[in-house]
Amino acid sequence: MATGGVYRNGSNKAPNLRTSSSFKMKLPASNVRRSIPGGATDSVSGRVRVAVRLRPRNAEEMAADADFADCVELQPELKRLKLRKNNWDSDTYEFDEVLTEYSSQKRVYEVVAKPVVESVLEGYNGTVMAYGQTGTGKTYTLGRLGDEDTSARGIMVRSMEDILANISPETDSVSVSYLQIYMETIQDLLNPANDNILIVEDQRTGDVSLPGATVVEIHDQQTFIELLRLGENHRIAANTKLNTESSRSHAILMVHMKRSVLGREDDFSPENENRSHSVGNFKPSILRKGKLVVVDLAGSERVHKSGSEGHMLEEAKSINLSLSALGKCINALAENSAHVPIRDSKLTRLLKDSFGGTSRTSLVVTIGPSPRHRAETASTILFGQRAMKVENMLKIKEEFDYKSLSKRLEIEMDKLIADNERQQKVYENEVERIRLEAQKRITEAERNCGELLEEEKVKCQMDYMESIQKLEEKWSVNQQKRVANGEVHMDTGNDEVKELKALLQNEICLRKAAEEENKNLKLQLLKFSKAELAGGSTDIMNLQEILEEESRQKKKLEEEVRALRSQLSQLSTEASQSRSDLERGRNGNTAGLDCLSPLNHLQSRDSSNGERASIVNLHEQVGLQKILSLLESEDANVRIHAVKVVANLAAEEANQEKIVEAGGLTSLLMLLRSYEDETIRRIAAGAIANLAMNEANQELIMAQGGICLLAMTASDAEDPQTLRMVAGALANLCGNDKLQMRLRSEGGIKALLGMVRCRHPDVLSQVARGIANFAKCESRASSQGTKPVRSLLIEDGALPWIVQNANNEASLIRRHVELALCHLAQHEVNAKDMISGGALWELVRISRDCSREDIKALARRTLTSSSTFVAEMRRLRIEV
Ligand code: ADP
Ligand code: MG
C-alpha cells in the first residue's frame, strides 16, 4: 500500500481513470448507435461512474466525536478523498466526483443521476445506485420526497421531474414499478399482497423482466410522489411484519419509458431512398424503450460483517446474499474474470444489465465522517473504487414502431383522399367555369351575328325605300312633263327607261352585295357551328334556329324586292307603251316592224296584234322566199326590216317549218356571223331561239355550226337583250338528250356560263334554264343506265354559279337552279363535288324552305337516297 501522496486506485488496471475528467461526460449522439431490428448494432463503452458523498456529522457524532477529526478529508476540486489511517498517514482515492457534506441535493442529482436520466430519455438503460453503511444517507440521497422543503428532493423525484418534462404525452409513456428484495424474495411495494415476484429471463435477448410486478403509468409528478409514499409505507409495514429493518432490504424503483421518435434519413438503405421520398418521407417511427433502475441498497455493513467476522456462507446468505453477490460480481467484472456470478442472487440477476451490461450506470457511495466507523467507510470506498473499473457497453434500446407508422400512414392516406376529393372538386368547378365561359361566348357571337344581320337588313330596307321614292319622284316628274308638253320625245323616254333600269341594276347590285354579306355571315355561322359541334347539338340547334330566322327575314326582303321588280316592270311597260304610242302617232303603221323580241311576249303581245296582222299580210303578199332574199339586201334598212319580219314569223310555230325549209335558218345563222349591226344580231338570235324550240330544228342548228355562232355572239355581245336571245337558244338546245356531248364539246356550256357576266336577270334566267335542262338530260341519261360519269356541268365549272344562285331573289332563276341542283344530286358520282362546293347546304335549304312543294319533295328525296349525302348530313348532324 502506498503512503501519503500515492493514489490508491485499487488496481493499476484502470490507468484511464485519471483521464476520465468529467463524470458528466455525455454520449456523443453520432457515436452511439442503435440496435434496430434489421439495422446495424453498435455500442459504445461506458464505464460505471462512481461518486462519493459525505454525510455531515449528525447530532450524536457532533457530541461523541467532538474531540476527533473526521476519518476522511475531501478534496472535491481534485476529486480526491483522503482516508486517514492515523494522525500522520492517509490513503488517497480518486473518484469521478467527490461530494462534500455541503453538496446540495440538486448538485448531487446533476452530477450523479442527470446524465443517466438523459441517456434513458435517449433510449438507453440506466442505473443509479446508492451503496454505503446504514445511516450514511443512501435513502436521503435517493428517496427524499422533499414535501416540506423542495430543495431536499432526492434523485428519484428529480429524475421523474426531468423525464416528465422531456417526453410528449401524446406519443410517449412512462410507467413505474417499485419493489424490494429481502432474503431473496422480491416483494411488490405497490401491492404488498404480491410478495413473491419471479424474475423472467428472455432466452433470446437475455433481458430480465418482472411480469408479476405492478406497473403504474405516470402522467404527472404528483401521482409519482404518491406512489413513492405508498411504496415507502408498504416497505415499513412489510419490514415490521417480517420483523426486520429497512436497512436489510434493497429498494428498487423501475421506471419504464417508451418514446416514439421519427425515423432518420440514414435509417434507410440507399435503394430505399426513392421510396422514402415518394411516400413523403414516411418511415416507421422508432420506439425507444429506456429503463431507469434506481436502487437503494441495504446497509453495506452486513457484507463487511459477514466477511470480517468469518461467518459461514449459509449465515451470510441469511444476512444478505444479494449484497455479497453484488460485491463478488463487481470484483469479477473489475478484474475481468471469465466468470461473473450473476445468477447467485436475485439482486445480481435483476442488475444484470447495470454492471457488465448495456446500461449507463452511476453509483453513489455514501460515507459518514465518524472515525468510529472508519473500517466501514474504508470498505465502502474500496467497493466504489472497484465499481469504477466496471466497463459497460451502452446500447440503445429501440425498434421500429410499425404500429404507429401504420397509424400515421392511415392518417396520411385519409388526408390524401380528402386532398384528392378537394382537387377533384376544384377540377370540376374549373370545367364548369370553362363551359359557362364558352356558353357565354357563343351567346355573344350569336348576338353579334344577329345584330349584324339585323343592321344589314335595315340598311337594305332603307336603300330600297329610297330607290322607290326616287323612282316615284322621277315618274311623277315625267308624267308632269308629258302632261305639260303633250308629248315626250322618244329618245328622252328611252333614256329615262334606261336610267330607271340602271337604277334598278344598281339596286340589284346593292342587294347582291347584301346577299353576299348575308351568305358570308351564314358561312361564318356554319363554320362556328361546325367548330362547336363538339360542344353539343344544342349549340347547333341554336345556330340553326338563328339561320332559319335569318332565312325568313331574307325571304321577306326577297318578297319586297319582287314587289319592287314588278312595280318597275310595270313602269317599264308603261314607259314602252307610251313610247310606242308616241312613235305610232309620229310614224304611222311602220311601227309594226319594230317589234320587240318574240320571246318578250310580256311587252309585245298586247301592243303588236295590229303589227302582226300586217306582217302576215306582207308575208302572204310578198312570199316567204322573197322576204328571206331581202335578208341579204344591200340596204341595211331593208335587212333590218326583213329580219324583223322573219323573226315575227318564226314566233308562230306554224311558220317555223316553212322558214327552215326555205333556208331561213341558214340565213339567220349567216346574219349572226356577220354581226354588222347589234339590232340585226339581236333579232336574228331571237328568231333562232324560237326555231330552236323545235327538236328537229335543234339538230339542224347544230349541224350548221349554230353552237359556235351562238357561242361567238355570247362572248361578243354586250346588249342584254341579245345575250338573252342567245342564252334562250342555247337553253333550248340544252334540253336535247342527243346533243349533250356535242353541245358541250363545241363550247355551248362555256358560252352559257360566260353570259352570267351580264347580270341582267333575263339573261341569268335563260342561263339557269339551260343549266337545268342540261342537268335534267344528264340525270335522265344516268337513270337510263348510261355509265356514270361526272356531270359535264361540273366539269365545265358551273357548280359555283349554281350554288351562288340557288337562292337568287328572282323566283324564275331560283326555280331553274333548284331543279338543276336536284338533277345533279340524283347522280351519286356528283355528290362529292357537290358537298365540297357547298351544294349540300343549298339542297338542305331547298328541302326545307322551297315554296314549291314538288321541288321541295324532290330535294328531300334526292338527299335521302344518296348514301354520300346521308353520311355527310349525319356527320354534320343535319336532319331533313
Ligand atoms: P441510510 O439510508 O443510508 O441508512 P438515511 O438516508 O436514512 O441513511 O440517513 C440517515 C440520517 O442522516 C437521516 O436522518 C438523514 O436525514 C441524515 N442525512 C443523511 N445524509 C444527509 C445529508 N447529506 N445532509 C443532512 N442529513 C443527512
Ligand atoms: Mg436507508
Side-chain angles (χ1 to χ4, degrees), residues 191-389:
N191 176 15
N194 205 1
D195 59 3
N196 190 12
I197 294 169
L198 297 178
I199 297 172
V200 174
E201 216 165 310
D202 186 320
Q203 291 302 323
R204 195 170 54 84
T205 61
D207 286 348
V208 291
S209 60
L210 302 170
T214 305
V215 180
V216 178
E217 191 127 353
I218 302 296
H219 298 287
D220 59 274
Q221 186 66 13
Q222 203 45 47
T223 313
F224 177 66
I225 289 174
E226 291 313 319
L227 271 184
L228 284 185
R229 209 190 308 280
L230 179 77
E232 196 49 38
N233 288 343
H234 286 154
R235 192 180 182 191
I236 294 163
N239 291 339
T240 310
K241 193 173 131 200
L242 292 168
N243 195 22
T244 179
E245 345 162 1
S246 67
S247 61
R248 291 174 72 178
S249 71
H250 313 284
I252 301 167
L253 176 75
M254 285 184 173
V255 182
H256 302 275
M257 192 219 54
K258 278 186 198 161
R259 292 188 82 188
S260 188
V261 287
L262 279 181
R264 289 160 295 215
E265 245 359 284
D266 55 6
D267 288 336
F268 290 82
S269 51
E271 63 265 30
N272 288 342
E273 210 179 359
N274 289 339
R275 187 200 57 177
S276 69
H277 283 299
S278 67
V279 295
N281 283 333
F282 269 104
K283 305 170 195 94
S285 56
I286 287 165
L287 198 61
R288 287 188 179 157
K289 292 178 170 177
K291 183 171 83 176
L292 175 66
V293 183
V294 184
V295 189
D296 186 356
L297 289 172
S300 60
E301 65 279 3
R302 312 275 166 194
V303 182
H304 177 71
K305 272 182 191 157
S306 68
S308 62
E309 287 168 20
H311 280 206
M312 298 300 289
L313 186 65
E314 291 306 309
E315 204 180 350
K317 245 187 203 169
S318 72
I319 294 169
N320 201 316
L321 180 132
S322 282
L323 203 54
S324 58
L326 177 66
K328 281 181 197 155
C329 283
I330 284 177
N331 281 344
L333 287 165
E335 282 154 22
N336 267 338
S337 293
H339 177 68
V340 181
I342 285 168
R343 308 196 66 80
D344 284 2
S345 75
K346 293 271 165 73
L347 180 69
T348 49
R349 284 177 69 195
L350 264 185
L351 296 181
K352 185 183 164 201
D353 197 46
S354 306
F355 293 93
T358 66
S359 165
R360 174 180 279 276
T361 298
S362 184
L363 176 68
V364 57
V365 292
T366 54
I367 52 174
S370 170
R372 284 179 291 141
H373 296 118
R374 193 188 162 281
E376 288 299 337
T377 304
S379 148
T380 302
I381 286 169
L382 287 175
F383 181 88
Q385 287 289 298
R386 280 193 297 272
M388 278 175 81
K389 292 182 193 161

Side-chain angles (χ1 to χ4, degrees), residues 701-750:
I701 292 170
M702 191 81 75
Q704 294 182 21
I707 308 267
C708 284
L709 291 170
L710 285 167
M712 211 170 64
T713 317
S715 70
D716 288 346
E718 300 276 321
D719 177 23
Q721 289 312 315
T722 312
L723 290 172
R724 185 176 68 137
M725 299 309 166
V726 174
L730 284 172
N732 287 340
L733 295 175
C734 281
N736 190 322
D737 296 291
K738 291 180 231 156
L739 306 179
Q740 294 266 293
M741 292 307 288
R742 215 167 142 199
L743 185 62
R744 191 241 178 174
S745 64
E746 289 181 16
I749 305 295
K750 285 249 157 81

